[in-house]
């Protein structure tokens, strides 16, 4: 019963937050007038609209498919406020609740949270969230009378209804300057009738930046063929809400970065990206060089236009969960791999003569994330704080680092890197006089060189694999093989094919959940609602409002000394986000 009461309270709080945010959002006139936009107030007080806006029934500016098929830049910025509680600057919207002064920020203050993505209104938890469509707000038949900009401003600033009575105590006072106020008003005129690029009643354009020329061309073509076949199956069943899924591919050429190809796709007005190569939020780089600027520009465009990217390929694992944004990763971050290593170590027998944990990692954001993950899990498990041994990327002195680690008399070493660091570490490590410390490393550091495999087997390296290795995964791999055979796609570049298939599966599910009135914010909300979703190959996926990495766990494997095959050591190890 306690859980039911808690959930009811949460629903009520969400309803209250959405209600007060939406009321605040539409009460713009006084703030606009205070910043020199008095035309709206004067016109609304007379029951009309400012110059340039054609009046409709009830005095509201005309709203219709023709005027809202392509949102103005101002309305696009207003949509971010309405759906996500985010200003054009990237800062969260702020509002304060009635007399208590309790603050709401960002998505907690987004209008769509209770009023819905189309502003249809709702009643939940004892709080009514009224509809916000302009033809209803400004209708002469509206219960309580037609709103004007002035009365809405009073609701925003003073928490007063048009008849002067005090609104619900959850009504906040919003802190919005004139520009975001005008942006939000621009979007409210199109609420429920806006359309994003790439969406029509008949089709939905989806993009993928993939290397189709150069040394990665075969891998890019393998991913493209899987995406195209997955969409073809959906289309054969009638599409998603009768929309045909159209795949638009841009060649990233030699690059697994994808920034320039992503920019071209946005120029071609795709709705979202899926299974697209991307490193804009996961690689170190100097934004002052050409590639760095391209990455920064592409990332800024994705964020500014709320363009979701589902299941990025080619960039390796993300460093960590960014917590927000438009890129939805299907694999765990490097910080999660480090946490799984420490969690596994905590369950192993302790050694009285060796307690230290040593983390050898590249300097920079990715290596730092690996270190943070190890330290966070060690603290959670009551283990000693791991010792950091950083190295400059490209300057891995294996002998010096192995010697420095040995002097710590470690219980375990966690090794991170991006290339052949594991092989070089094993070759340079001094022979152990007694029991060897446990050595953990991401599985992608294990090369195929026979000598490296033999050394890894001898050292009993514990490899952190970002996916499950259980019976369910084997069934998923067989289903993927059947899919490839059905579409006459040769099995090649297995990692790219499996990742593309999983990305397409997750995207299609989210499109179904987003509903017929499809918007980018609506798709983001649907992705955030996925819980324990099975994408086929790979771990089950859970996203959330503050979660953009779908899996928090890993499996452990090791190289078998007799066959040099990689075999499971433990089942999937889940860690707490």
């Amino acid at each position: 019963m306690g859980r039911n009461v808690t959930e009811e309270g949460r629903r009520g709080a969400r309803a209250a937050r959405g209600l007060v945010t939406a009321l605040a959002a539409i009460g713009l006139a006084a703030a606009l007038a205070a910043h020199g936009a008095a035309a709206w107030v004067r016109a609304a007080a007379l029951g009309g609209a400012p110059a340039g806006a054609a009046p409709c029934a009830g005095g509201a500016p005309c709203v219709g498919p023709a005027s809202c098929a392509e949102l103005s830049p101002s309305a696009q910025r207003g949509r971010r406020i309405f759906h996500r509680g985010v200003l054009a600057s990237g800062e969260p919207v702020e509002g304060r609740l009635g007399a208590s002064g309790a603050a709401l920020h960002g998505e907690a203050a987004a209008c769509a949270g209770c009023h819905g993505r189309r502003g249809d209104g709702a009643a939940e938890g004892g709080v009514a969230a009224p509809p916000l469509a302009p033809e209803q707000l400004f209708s002469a038949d509206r219960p309580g009378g037609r709103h004007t900009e002035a009365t809405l401003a009073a609701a925003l600033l003073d928490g007063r209804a048009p008849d002067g009575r005090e609104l619900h105590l959850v009504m906040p006072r919003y802190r919005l300057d004139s520009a975001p106020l005008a942006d939000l008003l621009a979007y409210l005129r199109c609420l429920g009738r806006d359309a994003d690029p790439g969406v029509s009643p008949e089709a939905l354009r989806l993009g993928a930046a993939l290397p189709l020329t150069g040394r990665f061309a075969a891998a890019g073509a393998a991913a493209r063929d899987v995406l195209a076949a997955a969409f073809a199956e959906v289309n054969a069943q009638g599409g998603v809400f009768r929309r045909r899924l159209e795949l638009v591919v841009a060649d990233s050429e030699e690059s697994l970065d994808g920034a320039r190809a992503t920019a071209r796709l946005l120029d071609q007005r795709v709705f979202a990206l899926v299974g697209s190569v991307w490193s804009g939020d996961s690689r170190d780089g100097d934004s002052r060089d050409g590639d760095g600027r391209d990455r920064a520009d592409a990332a800024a465009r994705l964020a500014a236009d709320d363009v979701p990217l589902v299941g990025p390929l080619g960039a390796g694992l993300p460093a960590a969960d960014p917590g927000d944004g438009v890129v939805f990763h299907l694999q765990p971050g490097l910080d999660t791999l480090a946490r799984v290593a420490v969690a596994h170590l905590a369950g192993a027998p302790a050694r009285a003569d060796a307690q230290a944990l040593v983390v050898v990692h590249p300097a920079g954001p990715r290596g730092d994330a690996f270190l943070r993950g190890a330290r966070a899990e060690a603290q959670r498990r009551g283990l000693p704080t791991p010792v950091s041994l950083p190295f400059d990327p490209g300057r891995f002195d294996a002998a010096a680092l192995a010697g420095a680690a040995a002097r710590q008399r470690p219980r375990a070493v966690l090794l991170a890197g991006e290339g052949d660091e594991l092989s070089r570490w094993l070759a340079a490590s001094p022979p152990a006089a007694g029991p060897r410390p446990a050595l953990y490393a991401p599985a992608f550091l294990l090369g195929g060189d026979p000598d490296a495999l033999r050394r890894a087997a001898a050292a009993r390296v514990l490899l952190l694999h970002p996916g499950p290795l259980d019976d369910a995964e084997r069934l998923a791999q067989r289903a993927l093989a059947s899919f490839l055979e059905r579409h006459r796609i040769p099995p090649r570049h297995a990692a790219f094919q499996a990742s593309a298939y999983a990305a397409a599966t997750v995207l299609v599910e989210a499109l179904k959940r987003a509903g017929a009135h499809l918007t980018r914010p609506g798709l983001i909300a649907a992705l955030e609602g996925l819980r324990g979703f099975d994408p086929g190959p790979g771990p089950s996926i859970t996203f959330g409002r503050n979660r953009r990495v779908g899996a928090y766990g890993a499996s452990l494997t090791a190289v078998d000394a007799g066959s040099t095959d990689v075999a499971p050591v433990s089942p999937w190890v889940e860690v707490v986000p």
Side-chain angles (χ1 to χ4, degrees), residues 25-83:
I26 56 181
L28 302 174
L32 285 170
H35 291 278
W40 274 105
V41 178
R42 290 194 299 269
L46 296 173
C56 289
C62 277
V63 178
S67 62
C68 296
E70 183 172 348
L71 293 179
S72 69
S74 177
Q76 290 177 15
R77 294 189 296 268
R79 186 172 66 173
R80 295 193 76 199
I81 297 172
F82 183 91
H83 288 283

Side-chain angles (χ1 to χ4, degrees), residues 243-266:
R243 290 190 181 98
R244 181 181 65 258
L245 304 185
E246 296 180 349
L247 179 64
V248 181
V249 180
D251 185 5
S252 67
E253 301 172 347
E254 288 279 352
S255 174
L256 292 179
D257 174 282
R260 295 179 184 177
T262 296
R264 294 198 302 274
L265 288 168
L266 295 179

Side-chain angles (χ1 to χ4, degrees), residues 73 136-137 231 279 402 417 481 534:
Q136 294 168 310
L137 287 173
F231 292 166
S279 64
D534 181 7

